[in-house]
Amino acid sequence: MALKVALLGCGVVGSEVVRQLARQADDLAARVGAPLELAGVAVRRPGRVRLPEVDPALFTTDAAALAVRDDVDIVVEVIGGIEPARTLLLDAVKAGKSVVTANKALLAEDGATLFAAAQATGADIYYEASVAGAIPLLRPLRESLAGDRVERVLGIVNGTTNYILDRMDAHGSGFSEALEQAQALGYAEADPTADIEGFDAAAKAAILAGLAFHTRVTAADVHREGITEVSAADIASAKAMGCVVKLLAICQRSPDGSSVGVRVHPAMLPREHPLAGVREAYNAVFVEAASAGRLMFYGAGAGGAPTASAVLGDLVAVARNRLAGARGPEETTYAGLPVHPMGDSVTRYHVALDVADRPGVLATVAESFARNDVSIKNVRQEGHGDDAQLVIVTHMAADAALAATVDDLRRLSTVRSVASVMRVEALADG
Ligand SMILES: NC(=O)C1=CN([C@@H]2O[C@H](COP(=O)(O)OP(=O)(O)OC[C@H]3O[C@@H](n4cnc5c(N)ncnc54)[C@H](O)[C@@H]3O)[C@@H](O)[C@H]2O)C=CC1
Ligand SMILES: N[C@@H](CC=O)C(=O)O
Ligand code: NA
């Protein structure tokens, strides 16, 4: 007997899910052990969706009714955002439906409620597409690495911002032009503020940290900075240092293991760093585990077809579970580790200062760093006279110490302005 699938949302990802379901119907049926049949497709404006693969009678604007209909076994949610997606999925789970979703915003805001409801009814919630699109990452973290101790997860998890930064770096494109291209290619969120201000990456970081450290982490716990402040000058400065600028998500245990840090911000990476070569809308994530060592996951992080691949992989998995009367592994949050404040995070920094080119300037600047316990790795001067700029790279320092140093520097009469402050991530301190 066929398993009936309700599709909620039919935009970039949803329409590709429909196409793949139709194209691969026989193979999917063979893999699952039963055909997967669309029970209905919930859309906002039916007249605007042109999909010859779908019987027009299957379109509905009543997502709420479709999600709990008796004949529906599996609900696939690709609407996005918090509401109505949360209510739709909660009702579906309470009605015993298996759920597949790509909605990281919802999972990072209120995954706990959904998972608790799923536990109560024994329903599956799978969400591989929600982080790093097509890349199998969540199931490896949840299942393959369940016997190891993950120490750090670091990566590029937003395709839109990687596309923009890559275009600015490699083609000299302007920010708005590159964003428009990313939107046209189907990479951006419905409101691209979610991408460029780092909300999307922060939601993904929360999901990754939760799985990696067996701890409940929400988007609100994540330190978030987007890329709107990254200027062409920052990118040029990075280039001069042999670096590129990337938006990174970093989830890390504290050295004593008693807390975790979860942050999203632009950072400079040396060009030889494996993440520096991640171009266009690709994503890549390092997972560092005690026994496995360093693993790297790379692939298409955004776009209709790649994301549909992850959705269909989950669909097959929950369908198989359903037929077997089984359930996928649950979220484990037993560790309950606190998320430490950004000030306690430790990394290196690149600081560019517009200064007066006169004797003693370097000494006053160096004193500010020393006073705050931030050790300087190297200093270089660019320009002379009124155009002089000091570019300083530090060794590892706490974020709070660097912030205090920058406050100090702003008060120095010899420093005209702090032109740029950016974190520098490398594989090892040097
Ligand atoms: N586009 C991408 O590359 C990726 C997207 N995702 C996630 O997948 C989800 C969908 O993303 P896209 O397809 O790109 O967005 P989209 O904006 O292209 O599609 C969403 C669709 O849902 C429809 N919709 C809104 N409210 C509805 C309602 N009440 N009932 C029925 N339909 C409704 C909209 O009209 C739209 O067609 C989001 O959660 C997004 O974060 C995840 C990974 C990659
Ligand atoms: N807007 C997101 C889509 C995938 O999650 C991105 O650009 O990465
Ligand atoms: Na994924």
Side-chain angles (χ1 to χ4, degrees), residues 11-55:
V12 171
V13 179
S15 52
E16 199 55 43
V17 168
V18 166
R19 285 187 202 105
Q20 294 303 323
L21 263 178
R23 244 175 246 159
Q24 302 192 69
D26 293 343
D27 283 330
L28 294 175
R31 289 172 203 167
V32 169
L36 297 173
E37 268 176 24
L38 273 180
V41 180
V43 294
R44 210 162 31 181
R45 287 179 290 269
R48 290 182 57 175
V49 185
R50 278 174 192 64
L51 276 173
E53 293 85 353
V54 182
D55 173 354

Coordinates of all heavy atoms in Angstrom, one line a residue, residues 11-55:
G11 N 7.6 26.3 -3.1 CA 8.5 27.3 -3.7 C 9.7 26.7 -4.3 O 9.6 25.6 -5.0
V12 N 10.8 27.3 -4.1 CA 12.1 26.8 -4.7 C 12.3 25.3 -4.3 O 12.6 24.5 -5.2 CB 13.3 27.6 -4.2 CG1 14.6 27.0 -4.6 CG2 13.2 29.1 -4.7
V13 N 12.2 25.0 -3.0 CA 12.5 23.6 -2.6 C 11.4 22.7 -2.9 O 11.5 21.6 -3.4 CB 12.9 23.6 -1.1 CG1 13.2 22.1 -0.6 CG2 14.1 24.5 -0.8
G14 N 10.2 23.1 -2.5 CA 9.0 22.3 -2.7 C 8.7 21.8 -4.1 O 8.4 20.7 -4.3
S15 N 8.9 22.8 -5.0 CA 8.6 22.4 -6.4 C 9.7 21.3 -6.9 O 9.4 20.4 -7.7 CB 8.6 23.6 -7.4 OG 9.7 24.4 -7.2
E16 N 10.9 21.5 -6.4 CA 11.9 20.5 -6.8 C 11.6 19.1 -6.1 O 11.9 18.1 -6.7 CB 13.3 21.0 -6.4 CG 14.5 20.4 -7.1 CD 14.4 20.4 -8.6 OE1 14.0 21.5 -9.2 OE2 14.7 19.4 -9.2
V17 N 11.1 19.1 -4.9 CA 10.7 17.9 -4.3 C 9.6 17.2 -5.1 O 9.7 16.0 -5.4 CB 10.2 18.1 -2.8 CG1 9.5 16.9 -2.3 CG2 11.3 18.6 -1.9
V18 N 8.7 18.0 -5.6 CA 7.6 17.4 -6.5 C 8.2 16.7 -7.7 O 7.9 15.6 -8.1 CB 6.6 18.5 -6.9 CG1 5.7 18.0 -8.0 CG2 5.8 18.9 -5.7
R19 N 9.1 17.5 -8.4 CA 9.7 17.0 -9.6 C 10.5 15.7 -9.3 O 10.4 14.7 -10.1 CB 10.7 18.0 -10.2 CG 10.0 19.1 -10.9 CD 10.9 20.1 -11.6 NE 10.3 21.3 -11.7 CZ 10.5 22.4 -11.0 NH1 11.5 22.4 -10.1 NH2 9.8 23.5 -11.2
Q20 N 11.3 15.7 -8.3 CA 12.1 14.5 -8.0 C 11.2 13.3 -7.6 O 11.5 12.1 -7.9 CB 13.1 14.8 -6.8 CG 14.2 15.8 -7.2 CD 14.9 15.3 -8.4 OE1 15.2 14.1 -8.6 NE2 15.3 16.3 -9.3
L21 N 10.1 13.6 -6.8 CA 9.2 12.5 -6.5 C 8.6 11.8 -7.7 O 8.5 10.6 -7.8 CB 8.1 13.1 -5.6 CG 8.2 13.0 -4.1 CD1 6.9 13.7 -3.5 CD2 8.2 11.5 -3.6
A22 N 8.3 12.7 -8.7 CA 7.7 12.1 -9.9 C 8.7 11.4 -10.7 O 8.5 10.3 -11.2 CB 7.1 13.3 -10.7
R23 N 9.9 12.0 -10.9 CA 11.0 11.5 -11.7 C 11.5 10.1 -11.2 O 11.8 9.2 -12.0 CB 12.1 12.4 -11.8 CG 12.4 13.0 -13.2 CD 13.5 14.0 -13.1 NE 12.9 15.3 -13.5 CZ 13.5 16.5 -13.2 NH1 14.6 16.5 -12.5 NH2 12.9 17.6 -13.5
Q24 N 11.6 10.0 -9.9 CA 12.2 8.8 -9.3 C 11.2 7.9 -8.7 O 11.6 7.1 -7.8 CB 13.2 9.3 -8.2 CG 14.3 10.2 -8.7 CD 15.3 10.3 -7.6 OE1 16.0 9.3 -7.4 NE2 15.4 11.4 -6.9
A25 N 9.9 8.0 -9.0 CA 8.8 7.3 -8.3 C 9.2 5.8 -8.2 O 9.0 5.3 -7.1 CB 7.5 7.5 -9.0
D26 N 9.6 5.2 -9.3 CA 9.8 3.7 -9.2 C 10.9 3.4 -8.3 O 10.9 2.4 -7.5 CB 10.0 3.2 -10.6 CG 8.7 3.3 -11.5 OD1 7.7 3.5 -10.9 OD2 8.8 3.2 -12.7
D27 N 12.0 4.1 -8.4 CA 13.2 3.8 -7.6 C 12.9 4.1 -6.1 O 13.3 3.3 -5.3 CB 14.4 4.7 -8.0 CG 15.1 4.2 -9.3 OD1 15.0 3.0 -9.5 OD2 15.6 5.1 -10.0
L28 N 12.2 5.2 -5.9 CA 11.9 5.5 -4.4 C 11.0 4.4 -3.9 O 11.2 3.9 -2.7 CB 11.2 6.8 -4.3 CG 12.1 8.0 -4.7 CD1 11.3 9.3 -4.7 CD2 13.3 8.1 -3.8
A29 N 10.0 3.9 -4.7 CA 9.1 2.9 -4.2 C 9.9 1.6 -3.9 O 9.7 0.9 -2.8 CB 8.1 2.6 -5.2
A30 N 10.9 1.3 -4.7 CA 11.7 0.1 -4.5 C 12.6 0.2 -3.3 O 12.7 -0.7 -2.5 CB 12.6 -0.2 -5.7
R31 N 13.1 1.5 -3.0 CA 13.9 1.6 -1.9 C 13.1 1.6 -0.6 O 13.6 1.1 0.5 CB 14.7 3.0 -2.0 CG 15.7 2.9 -3.1 CD 16.3 4.3 -3.4 NE 16.9 4.3 -4.7 CZ 17.3 5.4 -5.3 NH1 17.2 6.6 -4.7 NH2 17.8 5.4 -6.5
V32 N 11.9 2.2 -0.6 CA 11.1 2.3 0.6 C 10.4 0.9 0.9 O 10.3 0.5 2.0 CB 10.1 3.4 0.4 CG1 9.0 3.3 1.5 CG2 10.7 4.8 0.4
G33 N 10.0 0.3 -0.2 CA 9.2 -0.9 -0.1 C 7.7 -0.6 -0.3 O 6.9 -1.5 -0.1
A34 N 7.4 0.6 -0.7 CA 6.0 1.0 -1.0 C 6.1 2.3 -1.8 O 7.0 3.1 -1.6 CB 5.2 1.2 0.3
P35 N 5.1 2.5 -2.6 CA 5.2 3.8 -3.4 C 4.9 5.0 -2.5 O 4.2 4.9 -1.4 CB 4.0 3.7 -4.4 CG 3.5 2.3 -4.3 CD 4.0 1.7 -3.0
L36 N 5.5 6.2 -2.8 CA 5.3 7.4 -2.1 C 4.4 8.2 -3.0 O 4.7 8.5 -4.1 CB 6.6 8.2 -1.9 CG 7.6 7.5 -1.0 CD1 8.9 8.3 -1.0 CD2 7.1 7.3 0.4
E37 N 3.2 8.5 -2.5 CA 2.2 9.3 -3.3 C 1.8 10.6 -2.7 O 1.6 10.7 -1.5 CB 0.9 8.4 -3.4 CG 0.9 7.5 -4.6 CD -0.4 6.7 -4.7 OE1 -1.4 7.1 -4.0 OE2 -0.3 5.6 -5.3
L38 N 1.8 11.6 -3.5 CA 1.4 12.9 -3.0 C -0.1 12.9 -2.6 O -1.0 12.5 -3.5 CB 1.6 14.0 -4.1 CG 2.9 14.7 -4.1 CD1 3.0 15.7 -5.2 CD2 3.3 15.3 -2.8
A39 N -0.4 13.3 -1.4 CA -1.8 13.3 -0.9 C -2.4 14.7 -1.2 O -3.6 14.9 -1.3 CB -1.9 13.0 0.5
G40 N -1.5 15.7 -1.2 CA -1.9 17.1 -1.4 C -0.7 18.0 -1.4 O 0.3 17.6 -0.8
V41 N -0.9 19.2 -2.0 CA 0.2 20.2 -2.0 C -0.4 21.5 -1.5 O -1.2 22.1 -2.2 CB 0.8 20.3 -3.4 CG1 1.9 21.4 -3.4 CG2 1.3 19.0 -3.9
A42 N 0.1 21.9 -0.3 CA -0.5 23.2 0.2 C 0.3 24.4 -0.3 O 1.5 24.4 -0.2 CB -0.4 23.2 1.7
V43 N -0.4 25.3 -0.9 CA 0.3 26.5 -1.5 C -0.5 27.7 -1.0 O -1.6 27.6 -0.5 CB 0.3 26.5 -3.0 CG1 1.1 25.3 -3.6 CG2 -1.2 26.3 -3.6
R44 N 0.1 28.9 -1.2 CA -0.6 30.1 -0.8 C -1.5 30.6 -1.9 O -2.6 31.0 -1.7 CB 0.4 31.2 -0.4 CG -0.1 32.1 0.7 CD 0.9 32.9 1.4 NE 2.1 33.2 0.6 CZ 3.2 33.8 1.1 NH1 3.1 34.2 2.4 NH2 4.2 34.1 0.4
R45 N -0.9 30.6 -3.2 CA -1.7 31.1 -4.3 C -1.6 30.0 -5.4 O -0.6 29.9 -6.2 CB -1.1 32.4 -4.8 CG -1.4 33.5 -3.9 CD -0.8 34.8 -4.4 NE 0.7 34.8 -4.2 CZ 1.4 35.3 -3.2 NH1 0.7 35.8 -2.2 NH2 2.7 35.2 -3.1
P46 N -2.7 29.1 -5.5 CA -2.6 28.0 -6.4 C -2.4 28.3 -7.9 O -1.6 27.7 -8.6 CB -4.0 27.3 -6.3 CG -4.7 28.0 -5.1 CD -3.9 29.2 -4.8
G47 N -2.9 29.5 -8.3 CA -2.8 29.9 -9.7 C -1.4 30.1 -10.1 O -1.0 30.1 -11.3
R48 N -0.5 30.4 -9.1 CA 0.9 30.8 -9.5 C 1.9 29.6 -9.6 O 3.0 29.7 -10.0 CB 1.4 31.7 -8.4 CG 0.7 33.1 -8.6 CD 1.2 34.1 -7.6 NE 2.6 34.3 -7.7 CZ 3.2 35.3 -7.0 NH1 2.6 36.0 -6.2 NH2 4.5 35.5 -7.1
V49 N 1.4 28.4 -9.2 CA 2.3 27.2 -9.2 C 2.0 26.4 -10.5 O 0.9 26.0 -10.8 CB 2.1 26.3 -8.0 CG1 3.1 25.2 -8.0 CG2 2.1 27.1 -6.7
R50 N 3.1 26.3 -11.3 CA 2.9 25.6 -12.6 C 3.8 24.3 -12.5 O 5.0 24.4 -12.7 CB 3.4 26.4 -13.8 CG 2.3 27.4 -14.2 CD 2.7 28.3 -15.3 NE 1.7 29.4 -15.5 CZ 1.3 30.3 -14.5 NH1 1.9 30.3 -13.4 NH2 0.4 31.2 -14.8
L51 N 3.2 23.2 -12.2 CA 3.9 22.0 -12.1 C 3.1 20.9 -12.7 O 2.1 20.3 -12.2 CB 4.1 21.6 -10.6 CG 5.3 22.2 -9.9 CD1 5.2 21.9 -8.4 CD2 6.6 21.8 -10.4
P52 N 3.5 20.5 -14.0 CA 2.7 19.5 -14.7 C 2.7 18.1 -14.0 O 1.8 17.3 -14.2 CB 3.4 19.4 -16.1 CG 4.7 20.1 -15.9 CD 4.6 21.0 -14.8
E53 N 3.7 18.0 -13.1 CA 3.7 16.7 -12.4 C 2.6 16.5 -11.4 O 2.3 15.4 -10.9 CB 5.1 16.6 -11.6 CG 6.3 16.5 -12.4 CD 6.8 17.9 -12.8 OE1 6.2 18.9 -12.5 OE2 7.9 17.9 -13.4
V54 N 1.9 17.6 -11.0 CA 0.9 17.5 -10.0 C -0.5 17.6 -10.6 O -0.8 18.5 -11.3 CB 1.1 18.7 -8.9 CG1 0.1 18.6 -7.8 CG2 2.5 18.7 -8.4
D55 N -1.3 16.7 -10.2 CA -2.8 16.7 -10.6 C -3.3 18.0 -9.9 O -3.2 18.2 -8.7 CB -3.4 15.5 -10.0 CG -4.9 15.5 -10.1 OD1 -5.5 16.6 -10.6 OD2 -5.6 14.5 -9.8

